[in-house]
Amino acid sequence: MLNMNYHCFSVIIMRRKREKPEEVARSYVKTKKDRDGFLVQQVPLKGRGVFASQKFEKGDFLLEYCGKLLTGEEGDILEQNISTGFRFFFKSKGQEFCIDASEEPSIGPTFGRLVNHGQKDELNVKLTVVDIEGTPALCLFALRDIQEGEELLYNYGVKQLPWLQQQSKVSINAAKNRKETESDKESGNGDETMDERDHADNIKPFQVSNKCFSTGNSNLQNTANITL
């Protein structure tokens, strides 16, 4: 009985000692380092993506979307010249800001800027503004438990993304091929013509390097309704 009570007491103490995710985020932002547990891999159509190399629990701090902190006006001026796909606009305490992560850093936090956009049913990460001694920072937290090997995905708040359009084309082409294959089988043409058609109708993946696309269209900037 004594051992059981001691065990329960130990579990309660351990739970109480777990740091709040926001405090963990502040700690990593101040150290200017990515936390362990992530790796970068190539993703079809998108370029690079970030994957978990260990399990994370719902609510855990994951990574910082790190870059130069600008005012919204400064970000708009840069966006009018060229849209890099790495500028994230947001609001904090009534002011508009922009994190410009266009330049890939050689040191410091690098993974956060490579996390890809996901569809509604794919999302496992959310982006939140965290106040760091009066300065806003964009931090990624786990929406749910994340298993080892999962790609991190969050909502950019942008509808027009090149690889989404390309995925749509691929889906339409696949449906077209299936329909034509069924028609060939009914007419007795078989798979031989299908092989030739595969080569003719093949759609090459949209070449997106690290989510970076230059369109000159400011509507493609990472604009999200994030407030603190």
Side-chain angles (χ1 to χ4, degrees):
M1 187 67 176
L2 180 61
N3 290 337
M4 183 179 294
N5 290 337
Y6 177 77
H7 175 71
C8 292
F9 179 78
S10 299
V11 171
I12 292 173
I13 293 298
M14 288 177 65
R15 286 178 179 172
R16 286 179 179 173
K17 284 185 176 180
R18 185 186 178 191
E19 287 188 86
K20 294 181 179 180
E22 292 82 2
E23 294 304 319
V24 176
R26 291 187 178 96
S27 176
Y28 275 100
V29 171
K30 289 178 181 178
T31 59
K32 302 184 183 300
K33 293 181 180 179
D34 283 323
R35 72 178 302 174
D36 294 333
F38 303 98
L39 53 86
V40 175
Q41 294 180 345
Q42 289 293 323
V43 181
L45 302 181
K46 296 181 182 180
R48 289 182 291 179
V50 180
F51 292 76
S53 58
Q54 67 181 53
K55 182 179 178 180
F56 290 93
E57 295 181 0
K58 179 180 178 179
D60 281 351
F61 165 72
L62 303 173
L63 296 164
E64 177 192 6
Y65 187 94
C66 189
K68 295 179 181 178
L69 179 63
L70 308 173
T71 65
E73 184 178 358
E74 289 171 332
D76 282 333
I77 293 173
L78 293 175
E79 200 67 19
Q80 289 172 9
N81 293 327
I82 184 171
S83 179
T84 66
F86 284 95
R87 296 190 184 102
F88 210 110
F89 292 79
F90 64 99
K91 289 183 178 180
S92 176
K93 297 180 179 179
Q95 291 183 285
E96 186 174 351
F97 293 94
C98 170
I99 295 290
D100 185 1
S102 302
E103 184 177 344
E104 183 161 5
S106 57
I107 58 174
T110 59
F111 288 164
R113 67 190 290 278
L114 299 178
V115 177
N116 282 317
H117 170 83
Q119 303 287 57
K120 186 176 180 179
D121 59 345
E122 299 176 317
L123 304 180
N124 54 11
V125 174
K126 67 176 179 178
L127 192 66
T128 302
V129 179
V130 176
D131 183 83
I132 312 294
E133 298 179 351
T135 300
L138 294 179
C139 297
L140 296 165
F141 295 86
L143 268 177
R144 57 169 175 78
D145 289 351
I146 298 176
Q147 305 301 318
E148 181 180 348
E150 279 195 72
E151 183 183 5
L152 305 189
L153 298 167
Y154 71 98
N155 185 358
Y156 282 7
V158 181
K159 292 182 179 180
Q160 296 180 341
L161 291 170
W163 56 86
L164 293 182
Q165 297 172 10
Q166 185 65 13
Q167 285 175 342
S168 177
K169 290 181 181 179
V170 171
S171 298
I172 293 173
N173 188 68
K176 176 184 176 183
N177 282 345
R178 284 197 298 271
K179 185 175 180 180
E180 291 181 354
T181 302
E182 292 173 359
S183 176
D184 287 340
K185 288 181 178 179
E186 291 177 0
S187 62
N189 289 338
D191 293 332
E192 186 175 351
T193 54
M194 183 62 193
D195 290 337
E196 296 173 358
R197 187 165 51 253
D198 278 343
H199 290 291
D201 292 342
N202 181 43
I203 298 178
K204 295 181 180 180
F206 192 98
Q207 297 301 312
V208 180
S209 176
N210 313 328
K211 300 187 305 186
C212 180
F213 48 95
S214 173
T215 63
N217 185 348
S218 61
N219 292 329
L220 293 181
Q221 63 192 15
N222 288 351
T223 305
N225 295 320
I226 300 176
T227 57
L228 177 63

